[in-house]
Amino acid sequence: MIPLQEASARRREIEDKLKQEEETLSFIRDSLEKSDQLTKNMVSILSSFESRLMKLENSIIPVHKQTENLQRLQENVEKTLSCLDHVISYYHVASDTEKIIREGPTGRLEEYLGSMAKIQKAVEYFQDNSPDSPELNKVKLLFERGKESLESEFRSLMTRHSKVVFPVLILDLISGEDDLEVQEEVPLEHLPESVLQDVIRISRWLVEYGRNQDFMNVYYQIRSSQLDRSIKGLKEHFRKSSSSSGVPYSPAVPNKRKDTPTKKPVKRPGTIRKAQNLLKQYSQHGLDGKKGGSNLIPLEGRDDMLDVETDAYIHCVSAFVKLAQSEYQLLMDVIPEHHQKKTFDSLIQDALDGLMLEGENIVAAARKAIIRHDFSAVLTVFPILRHLKQTKPEFDQVLQGTAASTKNKLPSLITSMETVGAKALEDFADNIKNDPDKEYNMPKDGTVHELTSNAILFLQQLLDFQETAGAMLASQETSSSATSYSSEFSKRLLSTYICKVLGNLQLNLLSKSKVYEDPALSAIFLHNNYNYILKALEKSELIQLVAVTQKTAERSYREHIEQQIQTYQRSWLKVTDYIAEKNLPVFQPGVKLRDKERQMIKERFKGFNDGLEELCKIQKAWAIPDTEQRDKIRQAQKNIVKETYGAFLHRYGSVPFTKNPEKYIKYRVEQVGDMIDRLFDTSA
């Protein structure tokens, strides 16, 4: 029973599952049928949509093509209208711009150049498209008129706003080179900035569109005139300043206001004035004579003038370099690059030629001075030549790119100055040697001869220009070493030259001393001159320069001086010989003198008295300017005479050789000393 029940239950379970599966299968069939139906419906819809799209496309494409054609036609029309407007505008350019061109560019350069651009485009259009059109001639004429107005405006701006550089500004610019402290470079505003920009725009337009180079000539002519006037103004400033205050001035501090300049001495170039000042110092120390150097006094006024002219020229040379540099900087902004060197060359010619002409005039004046034997005037060449050589590197840099004729002007002037300087040195040495022994020109008191003071003055001046003078001498050397001489070679040449001058001077002084009839005065004359030369050499660097080639010069002069002192002292022998012991009569004390002996003693006293009085009277008018030497010679002579006279007086003062002893014993020993102390003193 039990197994049947289990089988029946199992069967019912299987039948239930089968029934469920059949129901699921039936549901799936229904779903598939619905899906097929939906698919058929979607395919039908898509087919319908595709059909409609094809119909729409067939309808739109022709319309689109028609629209594109219409748009193209519209664009062509618009372009045509624009071209017509552009072309028509060229026909209106003349009428639109005529008023602006007629009124000129002054005050509205930007607008004016815009109008010129329109006119230029119109000219180009008519030339390309309608060369026979009357409109072409009209715009061409207007273009030429506008170009002329721009050229006129360029000239006007340059003329109205180009100003000379004031002397005080130039001096500031130059003095900046000598300041030890680094200072900012003094700016030079040749043209106001706004004007400069207008000038630059006009010049660029004229080069690019005007096809015109005439404005460059206008530029260099105007700027050349201002450069020349600036340098001449500086020279005139020196003359006026020297006549009023004696010293040109310049505002030394750049930050100070221009209307309150501070006086600033300009460096003197070491001309003849320095040597004269040294000679005055020698005079204060008793080296100068009362008559021998007197010719220096009337020269002072002329030498002041020479100093001013020399200073002015030297500063004008420096000014030219600085101003030319500044002009080139300005020119670079205005003139096209490939025309700059040529324009600059033309611009500086007048100022440069003026400097070179003045330099040649200085050379010519020096040549005339040499003929007149006026060597103090020749000394102006030395500071100028030194400055030209020092400035030559800057000159060469400024003139770089100019014509060869322009570059050669300064070297040619330097050569001329070296030649005339060497000639002056040679002639001066010859003049010292051959100066005539004119009796009326000799100092009657035996003091320093003017030839000596002038020679020392000239040699003293050479100290400040050793290198320059040495170069002058070397330039005349025929040896190969002259072309590449060293500073040592130059120094030896100058030393040899100075020794030659001193040797010539010594020979001439010996010759001149023979003019004096009195050998003692001749000795005093030579003593004074030798002593003057020695002291002048010692108080300057001349002695070191002489020692380069002549080591014993100082000792030689001292020997000559001592020799002349000894010669002078021999003039007193005719006085002391009367009372010298070797010439005195011999007698026994207490023994009555014979008439002959008394007469001899009387003659001895009388001879001494007369000789003393005569020599004191004569030699009182002689001069020994050097106080030390004067005292030395007086003291030595006083000792000799007092000793001899004292011994004589001691022996014969109490001897009864006369009834009137006061007639013969006129002086005490102290009185004799006092009389000798008054020698060489015209004021005593």
Side-chain angles (χ1 to χ4, degrees), residues 22-285:
E22 287 177 351
E23 289 176 355
T24 301
L25 181 61
S26 176
F27 176 77
I28 291 173
R29 284 192 184 121
D30 291 341
S31 296
L32 287 173
E33 288 177 359
K34 290 180 180 180
S35 177
D36 288 342
Q37 186 63 41
L38 289 173
T39 301
K40 288 179 181 179
N41 292 338
M42 182 59 70
V43 170
S44 175
I45 291 171
L46 290 174
S47 298
S48 175
F49 184 71
E50 183 180 6
S51 175
R52 290 180 180 180
L53 283 177
M54 289 181 64
K55 289 180 180 179
L56 181 62
E57 183 179 355
N58 292 332
S59 300
I60 291 300
I61 287 177
V63 174
H64 177 68
K65 290 183 178 179
Q66 289 178 359
T67 303
E68 282 186 342
N69 292 334
L70 288 174
Q71 288 177 340
R72 192 176 297 111
L73 288 173
Q74 184 180 3
E75 290 175 358
N76 290 338
V77 170
E78 289 176 352
K79 288 181 180 178
T80 302
L81 291 174
S82 177
C83 289
L84 286 173
D85 290 339
H86 184 66
V87 171
I88 291 172
S89 69
Y90 289 131
Y91 287 86
H92 294 290
V93 165
S95 58
D96 292 343
T97 59
E98 185 175 7
K99 181 180 178 182
I100 297 175
I101 300 303
R102 184 174 64 250
E103 293 176 352
T106 304
R108 52 175 182 178
L109 181 61
E110 192 70 29
E111 181 184 4
Y112 193 88
L113 291 178
S115 297
M116 288 299 294
K118 293 179 182 179
I119 296 171
Q120 182 185 3
K121 289 180 180 178
V123 170
E124 293 172 354
Y125 171 79
F126 288 121
Q127 283 178 336
D128 293 339
N129 299 282
S130 184
D132 297 328
S133 170
E135 290 296 327
L136 175 60
N137 294 330
K138 186 182 294 185
V139 291
K140 267 188 174 182
L141 183 62
L142 198 59
F143 183 82
E144 291 300 322
R145 188 187 304 169
K147 185 172 72 171
E148 290 174 1
S149 295
L150 283 173
E151 293 171 356
S152 178
E153 179 70 3
F154 183 89
R155 179 186 293 273
S156 176
L157 288 174
M158 291 296 302
T159 303
R160 285 187 290 115
H161 296 283
S162 290
K163 306 298 182 184
V164 297
V165 182
F166 292 114
V168 288
L169 293 179
I170 298 176
L171 290 174
D172 274 347
L173 192 66
I174 297 172
S175 64
E177 299 176 333
D178 302 325
D179 292 341
L180 296 178
E181 297 181 1
V182 178
Q183 295 183 353
E184 294 182 3
E185 187 174 347
V186 180
L188 290 180
E189 187 180 67
H190 296 292
L191 293 170
E193 184 61 28
S194 59
V195 174
L196 176 60
Q197 294 305 318
D198 286 349
V199 167
I200 292 173
R201 292 205 63 186
I202 294 174
S203 70
R204 289 178 179 174
W205 189 93
L206 290 172
V207 171
E208 187 174 355
Y209 303 109
R211 307 292 190 269
N212 189 325
Q213 297 181 4
D214 292 341
F215 78 94
M216 299 181 196
N217 297 331
V218 172
Y219 177 87
Y220 91 70
Q221 289 168 2
I222 294 173
R223 292 308 309 164
S224 175
S225 174
Q226 299 304 322
L227 175 61
D228 192 40
R229 289 173 59 193
S230 296
I231 294 176
K232 288 179 179 177
L234 177 63
K235 184 176 181 181
E236 188 62 26
H237 172 76
F238 266 83
R239 290 175 175 171
K240 289 181 179 179
S241 297
S242 64
S243 61
S244 58
S245 61
V247 181
Y249 66 88
S250 160
V253 183
N255 294 329
K256 286 185 177 287
R257 293 176 56 188
K258 291 183 181 179
D259 57 347
T260 58
T262 304
K263 284 194 176 182
K264 175 181 180 182
V266 177
K267 289 192 175 181
R268 311 295 280 177
T271 50
I272 192 172
R273 177 62 47 235
K274 179 176 179 182
Q276 286 190 333
N277 290 337
L278 286 169
L279 287 177
K280 289 179 181 178
Q281 294 176 14
Y282 298 157
S283 177
Q284 293 172 1
H285 289 82

Side-chain angles (χ1 to χ4, degrees), residues 56 72 82 105 107 109 133 202 263 313 343 369 376 380 382 392 408 469 485 499 503 583:
L56 181 62
R72 192 176 297 111
S82 177
L109 181 61
S133 170
I202 294 174
K263 284 194 176 182
Y313 185 75
T343 304
S376 63
T380 58
F382 286 75
K392 188 176 181 299
N408 291 334
Y485 59 89
C499 291
N583 296 325

Side-chain angles (χ1 to χ4, degrees), residues 204-388:
R204 289 178 179 174
W205 189 93
L206 290 172
V207 171
E208 187 174 355
Y209 303 109
R211 307 292 190 269
N212 189 325
Q213 297 181 4
D214 292 341
F215 78 94
M216 299 181 196
N217 297 331
V218 172
Y219 177 87
Y220 91 70
Q221 289 168 2
I222 294 173
R223 292 308 309 164
S224 175
S225 174
Q226 299 304 322
L227 175 61
D228 192 40
R229 289 173 59 193
S230 296
I231 294 176
K232 288 179 179 177
L234 177 63
K235 184 176 181 181
E236 188 62 26
H237 172 76
F238 266 83
R239 290 175 175 171
K240 289 181 179 179
S241 297
S242 64
S243 61
S244 58
S245 61
V247 181
Y249 66 88
S250 160
V253 183
N255 294 329
K256 286 185 177 287
R257 293 176 56 188
K258 291 183 181 179
D259 57 347
T260 58
T262 304
K263 284 194 176 182
K264 175 181 180 182
V266 177
K267 289 192 175 181
R268 311 295 280 177
T271 50
I272 192 172
R273 177 62 47 235
K274 179 176 179 182
Q276 286 190 333
N277 290 337
L278 286 169
L279 287 177
K280 289 179 181 178
Q281 294 176 14
Y282 298 157
S283 177
Q284 293 172 1
H285 289 82
L287 289 180
D288 200 1
K290 297 177 182 177
K291 299 179 182 178
S294 61
N295 72 312
L296 293 177
I297 297 174
L299 289 177
E300 289 185 4
R302 185 195 64 180
D303 293 332
D304 282 336
M305 187 179 301
L306 289 175
D307 275 353
V308 171
E309 294 295 329
T310 301
D311 286 355
Y313 185 75
I314 286 174
H315 283 81
C316 285
V317 169
S318 294
F320 171 81
V321 173
K322 290 298 181 183
L323 291 177
Q325 289 173 343
S326 181
E327 286 291 345
Y328 192 75
Q329 293 299 318
L330 178 66
L331 178 141
M332 289 173 66
D333 292 331
V334 180
I335 304 299
E337 183 178 359
H338 53 287
H339 291 286
Q340 288 173 1
K341 293 296 184 182
K342 181 179 179 181
T343 304
F344 180 71
D345 196 342
S346 301
L347 189 154
I348 62 173
Q349 283 304 314
D350 286 348
L352 182 59
D353 286 345
L355 283 177
M356 295 303 106
L357 178 60
E358 190 171 351
E360 290 297 341
N361 289 339
I362 291 172
V363 172
R367 289 195 181 101
K368 292 179 181 178
I370 292 173
I371 296 174
R372 298 193 309 268
H373 294 166
D374 181 8
F375 297 101
S376 63
V378 179
L379 290 174
T380 58
V381 171
F382 286 75
I384 293 174
L385 177 58
R386 179 176 65 181
H387 186 72
L388 290 179

Side-chain angles (χ1 to χ4, degrees), residues 481-520:
S481 61
T483 58
S484 57
Y485 59 89
S486 63
S487 58
E488 185 63 29
F489 175 73
S490 172
K491 191 173 184 179
R492 291 190 66 83
L493 278 179
L494 185 58
S495 175
T496 301
Y497 172 77
I498 292 175
C499 291
K500 176 183 177 181
V501 171
L502 292 175
N504 289 349
L505 177 61
Q506 186 173 342
L507 290 174
N508 199 311
L509 290 173
L510 281 171
S511 177
K512 289 183 184 302
S513 68
K514 296 175 183 178
V515 172
Y516 296 111
E517 295 180 0
D518 191 334

